[in-house]
Amino acid sequence: MIATGASAMIPPIPGFTDVPHLTNNNFFNLTALPPRLIVIGGGPIGMELTQAMQRLGTQVTVLSRSPRILSKEDRAAADTVQKSMAADGVIFHFNVQFVGIECTSPGLFLFHSTSCLLELNFIAILVNISPIL
């Protein structure tokens, strides 16, 4: 076995590299809870950290290009997880097409296909990871 680790694949969203963001590599370096967090990705890691942050007091919004969270899992189980997280206050947006991110003060603004403008403090990219070779 060769265990080289993995790193997050940064999505090709215009302006993304200009804004502070969290990945699986630096997520646990947070020293304070952000008031608002957007999680890009609806997979198991993203949902685990979404639930934790929401329950700790951060308002979390999940943006997914898929039509649902946990798309590789049993649909009934995924629906149960989503309903529970929504009851905790998590906001979900599905079938999102990312247009761009603009850095402003005091937050960041993320535009997506529903013509919605979301204000946030951090973006967490918790989607596909690629091996470090």
Side-chain angles (χ1 to χ4, degrees), residues 15-93:
F16 186 82
T17 56
D18 299 331
V19 298
H21 56 276
L22 303 168
T23 68
N24 60 314
N25 292 326
N26 65 357
F27 192 89
F28 293 102
N29 293 341
L30 285 173
T31 58
L33 284 174
R36 298 171 306 244
L37 173 71
I38 284 184
V39 172
I40 296 177
I45 295 171
M47 295 304 91
E48 180 179 15
L49 293 174
T50 291
Q51 184 178 44
M53 294 300 285
Q54 183 71 35
R55 288 185 173 179
L56 287 170
T58 296
Q59 175 56 62
V60 182
T61 300
V62 174
L63 305 180
S64 177
R65 292 184 306 177
S66 301
R68 65 186 183 97
I69 64 167
L70 304 171
S71 59
K72 295 180 182 177
E73 307 303 328
D74 176 76
R75 184 176 202 97
D79 288 346
T80 300
V81 170
Q82 182 181 333
K83 286 177 186 172
S84 174
M85 293 174 77
D88 285 343
V90 175
I91 299 166
F92 293 94
H93 293 274

